[in-house]
Structures are given as structure tokens and as C-alpha cells.
Amino acid sequence: MRRLNRKKTLNLMKELDAFPKVPESYLETSASGGTVSLIAFTTIAFLTIMEFMVYRDTWMKYEYEVDKDFTSKLRINIDITVAMRCQYVGADVLDLAETMVSSADGLIYEPVIFDLSPQQKEWQRMLQLIQSRLQEEHSLQDVIFKSAFKGASTALPPREDNSLQSPDACRIHGHLYVNKVAGNFHITVGKAIPHPRGHAHLAALVSHESYNFSHRIDHLSFGELIPGIINPLDGTEKIASDHNQMFQYFITVVPTKLHTYKISAETHQFSVTERERVINHAAGSHGVSGIFMKYDISSLMVTVTEEHMPFWQFLVRLCGIIGGIFSTTGILHGFGRFVAEVIFCRFRLGSYRSTSVPLPDGHTSNHVPLITDNSTH
């Protein structure tokens, strides 16, 4: 009884077979079919490898929403070297809420040599090269996001030469916490002194001949400090052509949430516009000599998420590749055989074309004369 049921089930499955098998005795192989099959298998293997590489790769997805966080503090990470002695310069932040943040709250003034050592110059050259590539190809920013924490540190390496030259510059580095409103971080002559109407700098005791706001920005970022992330102003160097010169940077800060398979952090991206001019009151160019970074906070927040192709999608694409190649090569092979048969048939018909044979009564016969054994004698 079980055997009978199994036989019925097997017959039912045979009737439902949507892929009928052709007996091998009905199959005909050819050299052209083998060549097309070889090309098809090679193409399938190549596209399968490429598809697997795409499956292994990831991409960054960008989403935008309104930033509703107005109460938290914004962290500014600073590493700037100014070509003046530390006792001559002062740095602080003044925002639109008229809140002054003194540099003593988190910045360190370190006497250094402004000229870089050979190793430091090579580091700066490579950083500037990366910045130029980032400006030309914005998609490289995704690679930097995915390689965060894996890349080398973006900080200026220490000097490898023990120079006996006395320090002629001041490195201002550290971090400050400010309100999430527009503000102005500046470095100018003299230490800052707060007063009820704002703040002032003690610049009266510094001679104009000692003004030199040539500077190098080794690092400037907003938010959480993430090693491996290169910011737009990292590696920037400006040389002043005049003692009374103003350097301005207009910065737009965009809050960013970064979620990759390696890290999850809240940081900030920013774009910058640069401007510099010589202070000349007689010519109508007013202002104060120094370095001014005016930043504004965007109301939009960007969420950057690293995504990966699902496995089911990879299988669907793979099946599409295999089926599409087989179908396409089959159609092309059939069309090629059809064209070849048409051409060969014309040549064959031309070789057996009828000839005219004259008859004794003056008529002609279009039939091909038969060749017999008697005709050869």
C-alpha cells in the first residue's frame, strides 16, 4: 500500500514538472554552441565575482531632520600656531548671546618654532594633497567616514630634530565648550579682558612692528573628536604680507550623527569661506588685525548611516545575472545560426543555378542536362 501511494505521488510530481528533460539522443552539439557556452560561463563567472565584491562593499546613507537640541553645549577643538610670542596674543569666544568664553577655560599656550621640521613638512604636504582631492571628489568623504578610527592620527607629529632655535611662535591648542548659537572665535593682539559692554584686548603695550598673524591650522573641528576624520581647515597655512592683516573664516556648522559598523558618534561637519585683507583706515579698510573664525550653527541635522546589501537581494541579483546571460547568449546564438544558414543557402543556390541549353529547332532549354556514362565517350 505504501509503495502504491509512493508511486502515485511520484507520477503526480512528474506531471507537475515544469522543466521537461530532452533525451540525450535528441541533442545536437556544435562547435559554435560550445564557443558560445564557454563565453557565457566566463561572463557569468566574471559578473558573479564583481557582484560579490559589490555585496561585500557598503555605502553611506544620508538623512536630514531638524535639530531640536538647543540646550547642549558645542565643543570646539582647536590646534592653531600663530607666528607671534604667546605673551602677545590672546584667544577667546564671543557668541550672539553675549557670552564670553575665555581661552583659560580649556586652551593651552605653548611656545614653539613656527617653521616645521622636514617630517612635519611632509605631513603637512600630504594633508594638503588630501584636502585638494576632497574638494575635487566629494565622494571620498564616505571613505573617510567608514575608515574613522582605523586611519592614522591627523595631529601634527612632534619635531624629530632637536633644534636649539628659540621659540618664535605660539601654539594654541585644546578645546572650548560654547553655546549652540552663532559666535566668533578670534585670536588677536593682547590678552582678553571682560567688561560689562563686551570685552577688550590689551594691545597698547605691543608695537605694530611685532604684529605677525601668519598662522597654521593643524586642526579645527566641532563636536566629538574622532581620530581619522579630516576637516576642511586641517593643514591650512597662511602667511601675512603685512603687519596689520586680518584673516577671516566664515564657517557653517552642521550637526552630524555618524553610525558605521565601527563607530557611533555625534560630531559636526562644516563648510568654510575664507577672506583676508590688510587693515588700512586711510583707505577705508577698517577692522582689527588678527584671526577671526565666525561660525553659525545650521538648524538641520544630518544622520549618516553605513548600509550593507541584504543577502536576499544579492541572491536575486545573482539569479538575474545567470538567467539573463543564458537567455541572451541563447538568443544571440540562434540569431547567428539563422543568419549563417541564410547566407550559406544563397551560396548553395547560386552554385546550382540553371543554364540555357540550345535545341536543334532553335529553342532553348533551361534545364540542366543530365550527365550519363555515354556522354563521356
Short mmCIF file of all heavy atoms in Angstrom, two decimals, residues 53-63 141-150 229 256-265 302-310:
data_model
loop_
_atom_site.label_atom_id
_atom_site.label_comp_id
_atom_site.label_asym_id
_atom_site.label_seq_id
_atom_site.Cartn_x
_atom_site.Cartn_y
_atom_site.Cartn_z
N MET A 53 31.82 41.33 -4.93
CA MET A 53 32.56 42.49 -4.43
C MET A 53 31.61 43.63 -4.07
O MET A 53 31.82 44.33 -3.07
CB MET A 53 33.59 42.95 -5.47
CG MET A 53 34.69 41.93 -5.73
SD MET A 53 35.83 42.44 -7.04
CE MET A 53 36.52 43.91 -6.31
N VAL A 54 30.56 43.82 -4.88
CA VAL A 54 29.56 44.84 -4.54
C VAL A 54 28.83 44.47 -3.26
O VAL A 54 28.51 45.32 -2.43
CB VAL A 54 28.57 45.01 -5.72
CG1 VAL A 54 27.41 45.93 -5.33
CG2 VAL A 54 29.28 45.55 -6.94
N TYR A 55 28.54 43.17 -3.09
CA TYR A 55 27.85 42.71 -1.88
C TYR A 55 28.70 42.94 -0.63
O TYR A 55 28.17 43.28 0.43
CB TYR A 55 27.51 41.23 -2.04
CG TYR A 55 27.02 40.57 -0.77
CD1 TYR A 55 25.76 40.86 -0.26
CD2 TYR A 55 27.83 39.68 -0.07
CE1 TYR A 55 25.31 40.27 0.91
CE2 TYR A 55 27.38 39.09 1.10
CZ TYR A 55 26.12 39.38 1.58
OH TYR A 55 25.68 38.80 2.75
N ARG A 56 30.00 42.77 -0.76
CA ARG A 56 30.88 42.99 0.39
C ARG A 56 31.03 44.47 0.73
O ARG A 56 31.31 44.81 1.89
CB ARG A 56 32.26 42.39 0.12
CG ARG A 56 32.30 40.87 0.08
CD ARG A 56 33.72 40.39 -0.04
NE ARG A 56 34.54 40.92 1.04
CZ ARG A 56 35.87 40.83 1.06
NH1 ARG A 56 36.52 40.28 0.06
NH2 ARG A 56 36.55 41.33 2.08
N ASP A 57 30.87 45.34 -0.24
CA ASP A 57 31.06 46.77 -0.02
C ASP A 57 29.85 47.36 0.71
O ASP A 57 28.77 46.78 0.74
CB ASP A 57 31.27 47.49 -1.35
CG ASP A 57 31.83 48.89 -1.17
OD1 ASP A 57 32.29 49.19 -0.05
OD2 ASP A 57 31.80 49.67 -2.14
N THR A 58 30.06 48.53 1.29
CA THR A 58 29.00 49.26 1.98
C THR A 58 28.93 50.68 1.43
O THR A 58 29.83 51.14 0.74
CB THR A 58 29.24 49.31 3.50
OG1 THR A 58 30.51 49.95 3.75
CG2 THR A 58 29.27 47.91 4.09
N TRP A 59 27.85 51.37 1.73
CA TRP A 59 27.69 52.76 1.30
C TRP A 59 27.06 53.56 2.43
O TRP A 59 26.49 53.00 3.38
CB TRP A 59 26.84 52.84 0.03
CG TRP A 59 25.46 52.30 0.19
CD1 TRP A 59 24.35 52.95 0.62
CD2 TRP A 59 25.04 50.95 -0.07
NE1 TRP A 59 23.27 52.13 0.64
CE2 TRP A 59 23.66 50.88 0.22
CE3 TRP A 59 25.69 49.81 -0.52
CZ2 TRP A 59 22.93 49.72 0.08
CZ3 TRP A 59 24.96 48.65 -0.66
CH2 TRP A 59 23.60 48.60 -0.37
N MET A 60 27.17 54.88 2.31
CA MET A 60 26.68 55.77 3.35
C MET A 60 25.33 56.36 2.92
O MET A 60 25.18 56.84 1.81
CB MET A 60 27.68 56.91 3.62
CG MET A 60 29.10 56.44 3.88
SD MET A 60 29.25 55.24 5.22
CE MET A 60 28.84 56.27 6.61
N LYS A 61 24.38 56.30 3.83
CA LYS A 61 23.04 56.84 3.60
C LYS A 61 22.88 58.12 4.41
O LYS A 61 23.17 58.14 5.61
CB LYS A 61 21.97 55.82 4.01
CG LYS A 61 20.55 56.31 3.85
CD LYS A 61 19.55 55.28 4.31
CE LYS A 61 18.12 55.78 4.19
NZ LYS A 61 17.14 54.78 4.69
N TYR A 62 22.42 59.19 3.77
CA TYR A 62 22.28 60.49 4.41
C TYR A 62 20.79 60.79 4.62
O TYR A 62 19.99 60.72 3.68
CB TYR A 62 22.91 61.58 3.55
CG TYR A 62 24.42 61.50 3.47
CD1 TYR A 62 25.03 60.62 2.57
CD2 TYR A 62 25.22 62.28 4.27
CE1 TYR A 62 26.41 60.54 2.50
CE2 TYR A 62 26.60 62.21 4.20
CZ TYR A 62 27.19 61.33 3.31
OH TYR A 62 28.56 61.24 3.24
N GLU A 63 20.45 61.14 5.85
CA GLU A 63 19.09 61.54 6.21
C GLU A 63 19.14 62.90 6.91
O GLU A 63 20.08 63.17 7.68
CB GLU A 63 18.43 60.49 7.11
CG GLU A 63 18.26 59.13 6.46
CD GLU A 63 17.64 58.11 7.40
OE1 GLU A 63 17.74 58.30 8.63
OE2 GLU A 63 17.08 57.13 6.92
N GLN A 141 34.65 61.55 0.96
CA GLN A 141 34.29 61.77 2.36
C GLN A 141 33.65 60.52 2.94
O GLN A 141 33.83 60.22 4.13
CB GLN A 141 33.32 62.95 2.47
CG GLN A 141 33.00 63.36 3.89
CD GLN A 141 34.21 63.88 4.64
OE1 GLN A 141 35.01 64.64 4.11
NE2 GLN A 141 34.36 63.47 5.89
N ASP A 142 32.92 59.75 2.12
CA ASP A 142 32.33 58.49 2.61
C ASP A 142 33.42 57.51 3.01
O ASP A 142 33.27 56.77 3.99
CB ASP A 142 31.45 57.88 1.53
CG ASP A 142 30.22 58.73 1.24
OD1 ASP A 142 29.98 59.68 2.01
OD2 ASP A 142 29.50 58.44 0.27
N VAL A 143 34.51 57.48 2.25
CA VAL A 143 35.62 56.58 2.59
C VAL A 143 36.24 56.98 3.93
O VAL A 143 36.59 56.13 4.75
CB VAL A 143 36.67 56.60 1.47
CG1 VAL A 143 37.84 55.68 1.81
CG2 VAL A 143 36.05 56.20 0.14
N ILE A 144 36.34 58.28 4.18
CA ILE A 144 36.90 58.74 5.45
C ILE A 144 35.97 58.38 6.60
O ILE A 144 36.42 57.98 7.68
CB ILE A 144 37.15 60.26 5.38
CG1 ILE A 144 38.24 60.57 4.35
CG2 ILE A 144 37.53 60.81 6.75
CD1 ILE A 144 38.52 62.03 4.18
N PHE A 145 34.66 58.52 6.39
CA PHE A 145 33.71 58.14 7.44
C PHE A 145 33.83 56.66 7.79
O PHE A 145 33.83 56.28 8.96
CB PHE A 145 32.28 58.45 6.99
CG PHE A 145 31.90 59.90 7.13
CD1 PHE A 145 30.97 60.48 6.27
CD2 PHE A 145 32.46 60.70 8.12
CE1 PHE A 145 30.62 61.81 6.39
CE2 PHE A 145 32.12 62.03 8.25
CZ PHE A 145 31.19 62.59 7.39
N LYS A 146 33.94 55.81 6.76
CA LYS A 146 34.00 54.38 7.01
C LYS A 146 35.33 53.95 7.63
O LYS A 146 35.40 52.94 8.31
CB LYS A 146 33.76 53.61 5.71
CG LYS A 146 32.33 53.69 5.21
CD LYS A 146 32.08 52.74 4.07
CE LYS A 146 32.75 53.20 2.80
NZ LYS A 146 32.37 52.34 1.65
N SER A 147 36.39 54.71 7.37
CA SER A 147 37.70 54.36 7.89
C SER A 147 38.05 55.11 9.17
O SER A 147 39.21 55.11 9.60
CB SER A 147 38.78 54.64 6.84
OG SER A 147 38.81 56.02 6.52
N ALA A 148 37.08 55.79 9.79
CA ALA A 148 37.34 56.50 11.04
C ALA A 148 37.79 55.52 12.11
O ALA A 148 37.32 54.39 12.20
CB ALA A 148 36.09 57.23 11.50
N PHE A 149 38.71 55.97 12.94
CA PHE A 149 39.34 55.18 14.00
C PHE A 149 40.33 54.16 13.45
O PHE A 149 41.06 53.56 14.21
CB PHE A 149 38.31 54.45 14.87
CG PHE A 149 37.67 55.34 15.90
CD1 PHE A 149 36.33 55.21 16.20
CD2 PHE A 149 38.40 56.30 16.54
CE1 PHE A 149 35.73 56.03 17.14
CE2 PHE A 149 37.81 57.13 17.48
CZ PHE A 149 36.48 56.99 17.78
N LYS A 150 40.32 53.93 12.12
CA LYS A 150 41.27 52.99 11.55
C LYS A 150 42.43 53.72 10.88
O LYS A 150 43.48 53.15 10.68
CB LYS A 150 40.58 52.09 10.53
CG LYS A 150 39.54 51.15 11.12
CD LYS A 150 39.09 50.12 10.11
CE LYS A 150 38.44 50.75 8.91
NZ LYS A 150 37.92 49.73 7.96
N ILE A 229 39.22 61.49 11.05
CA ILE A 229 38.36 62.40 10.30
C ILE A 229 39.17 63.64 9.93
O ILE A 229 39.79 64.28 10.79
CB ILE A 229 37.12 62.80 11.10
CG1 ILE A 229 36.26 61.56 11.40
CG2 ILE A 229 36.30 63.82 10.34
CD1 ILE A 229 35.69 60.90 10.17
N THR A 256 25.97 66.42 13.03
CA THR A 256 26.01 65.15 12.30
C THR A 256 26.06 63.99 13.28
O THR A 256 26.87 63.98 14.21
CB THR A 256 27.24 65.10 11.37
OG1 THR A 256 27.22 66.23 10.50
CG2 THR A 256 27.23 63.82 10.55
N LYS A 257 25.20 63.00 13.04
CA LYS A 257 25.24 61.74 13.76
C LYS A 257 25.83 60.69 12.84
O LYS A 257 25.29 60.44 11.75
CB LYS A 257 23.85 61.32 14.23
CG LYS A 257 23.28 62.19 15.33
CD LYS A 257 21.93 61.65 15.80
CE LYS A 257 21.36 62.50 16.93
NZ LYS A 257 20.04 61.98 17.40
N LEU A 258 26.91 60.07 13.26
CA LEU A 258 27.63 59.10 12.44
C LEU A 258 27.43 57.71 13.01
O LEU A 258 27.76 57.45 14.17
CB LEU A 258 29.11 59.46 12.40
CG LEU A 258 30.01 58.59 11.51
CD1 LEU A 258 29.56 58.68 10.05
CD2 LEU A 258 31.46 59.03 11.64
N HIS A 259 26.86 56.82 12.18
CA HIS A 259 26.63 55.43 12.60
C HIS A 259 27.25 54.52 11.54
O HIS A 259 26.71 54.39 10.43
CB HIS A 259 25.14 55.14 12.75
CG HIS A 259 24.44 55.99 13.75
ND1 HIS A 259 24.61 55.85 15.12
CD2 HIS A 259 23.57 57.03 13.59
CE1 HIS A 259 23.87 56.74 15.76
NE2 HIS A 259 23.24 57.48 14.85
N THR A 260 28.37 53.90 11.86
CA THR A 260 29.00 52.93 10.97
C THR A 260 29.13 51.61 11.71
O THR A 260 28.76 51.48 12.88
CB THR A 260 30.38 53.43 10.52
OG1 THR A 260 31.28 53.46 11.66
CG2 THR A 260 30.31 54.83 9.94
N TYR A 261 29.69 50.61 11.02
CA TYR A 261 29.88 49.31 11.66
C TYR A 261 31.04 49.34 12.65
O TYR A 261 31.24 48.39 13.40
CB TYR A 261 30.14 48.24 10.60
CG TYR A 261 28.91 47.93 9.77
CD1 TYR A 261 28.80 48.39 8.46
CD2 TYR A 261 27.87 47.20 10.31
CE1 TYR A 261 27.66 48.11 7.71
CE2 TYR A 261 26.73 46.92 9.56
CZ TYR A 261 26.63 47.38 8.26
OH TYR A 261 25.51 47.11 7.52
N LYS A 262 31.80 50.45 12.65
CA LYS A 262 32.94 50.58 13.56
C LYS A 262 32.65 51.52 14.72
O LYS A 262 33.06 51.25 15.86
CB LYS A 262 34.17 51.08 12.79
CG LYS A 262 34.65 50.14 11.70
CD LYS A 262 35.16 48.83 12.27
CE LYS A 262 35.68 47.92 11.15
NZ LYS A 262 36.18 46.64 11.68
N ILE A 263 31.95 52.61 14.45
CA ILE A 263 31.75 53.61 15.50
C ILE A 263 30.32 54.14 15.43
O ILE A 263 29.61 53.95 14.45
CB ILE A 263 32.74 54.80 15.34
CG1 ILE A 263 32.49 55.51 14.02
CG2 ILE A 263 34.17 54.35 15.48
CD1 ILE A 263 33.24 56.80 13.87
N SER A 264 29.93 54.80 16.50
CA SER A 264 28.67 55.52 16.58
C SER A 264 28.95 56.78 17.40
O SER A 264 29.22 56.69 18.60
CB SER A 264 27.58 54.67 17.22
OG SER A 264 26.37 55.38 17.30
N ALA A 265 28.91 57.93 16.75
CA ALA A 265 29.33 59.16 17.42
C ALA A 265 28.48 60.32 16.93
O ALA A 265 27.87 60.27 15.86
CB ALA A 265 30.81 59.44 17.16
N VAL A 302 22.21 66.09 10.16
CA VAL A 302 22.43 65.02 9.19
C VAL A 302 22.75 63.74 9.94
O VAL A 302 23.59 63.73 10.84
CB VAL A 302 23.57 65.38 8.22
CG1 VAL A 302 23.77 64.28 7.19
CG2 VAL A 302 23.30 66.70 7.53
N THR A 303 22.08 62.67 9.54
CA THR A 303 22.37 61.34 10.09
C THR A 303 23.01 60.51 8.98
O THR A 303 22.38 60.26 7.94
CB THR A 303 21.10 60.65 10.60
OG1 THR A 303 20.49 61.47 11.61
CG2 THR A 303 21.41 59.29 11.19
N VAL A 304 24.24 60.11 9.20
CA VAL A 304 24.99 59.33 8.22
C VAL A 304 25.07 57.89 8.72
O VAL A 304 25.64 57.64 9.79
CB VAL A 304 26.41 59.91 8.01
CG1 VAL A 304 27.13 59.17 6.90
CG2 VAL A 304 26.33 61.40 7.68
N THR A 305 24.50 56.97 7.95
CA THR A 305 24.43 55.57 8.35
C THR A 305 25.09 54.71 7.29
O THR A 305 24.82 54.87 6.09
CB THR A 305 22.97 55.13 8.54
OG1 THR A 305 22.31 56.04 9.42
CG2 THR A 305 22.90 53.73 9.12
N GLU A 306 25.93 53.80 7.73
CA GLU A 306 26.57 52.85 6.82
C GLU A 306 25.63 51.67 6.59
O GLU A 306 25.18 51.03 7.54
CB GLU A 306 27.90 52.38 7.38
CG GLU A 306 28.67 51.48 6.43
CD GLU A 306 30.02 51.08 7.00
OE1 GLU A 306 30.28 51.38 8.18
OE2 GLU A 306 30.81 50.46 6.27
N GLU A 307 25.34 51.38 5.32
CA GLU A 307 24.40 50.32 4.99
C GLU A 307 25.08 49.24 4.16
O GLU A 307 26.12 49.47 3.52
CB GLU A 307 23.19 50.87 4.23
CG GLU A 307 22.30 51.75 5.10
CD GLU A 307 20.97 52.05 4.42
OE1 GLU A 307 20.87 51.82 3.19
OE2 GLU A 307 20.04 52.49 5.12
N HIS A 308 24.48 48.06 4.18
CA HIS A 308 25.02 46.88 3.50
C HIS A 308 23.90 46.23 2.70
O HIS A 308 22.74 46.24 3.10
CB HIS A 308 25.59 45.91 4.54
CG HIS A 308 26.34 44.76 3.94
ND1 HIS A 308 25.73 43.59 3.54
CD2 HIS A 308 27.65 44.60 3.66
CE1 HIS A 308 26.63 42.76 3.05
NE2 HIS A 308 27.80 43.35 3.10
N MET A 309 24.24 45.63 1.56
CA MET A 309 23.25 44.96 0.74
C MET A 309 22.73 43.70 1.45
O MET A 309 23.53 42.88 1.90
CB MET A 309 23.85 44.57 -0.62
CG MET A 309 22.87 43.86 -1.55
SD MET A 309 23.65 43.20 -3.03
CE MET A 309 24.23 44.71 -3.80
N PRO A 310 21.41 43.50 1.55
CA PRO A 310 20.88 42.27 2.16
C PRO A 310 21.26 41.04 1.35
O PRO A 310 21.45 41.10 0.13
CB PRO A 310 19.37 42.50 2.17
CG PRO A 310 19.18 43.97 1.98
CD PRO A 310 20.35 44.44 1.18
#
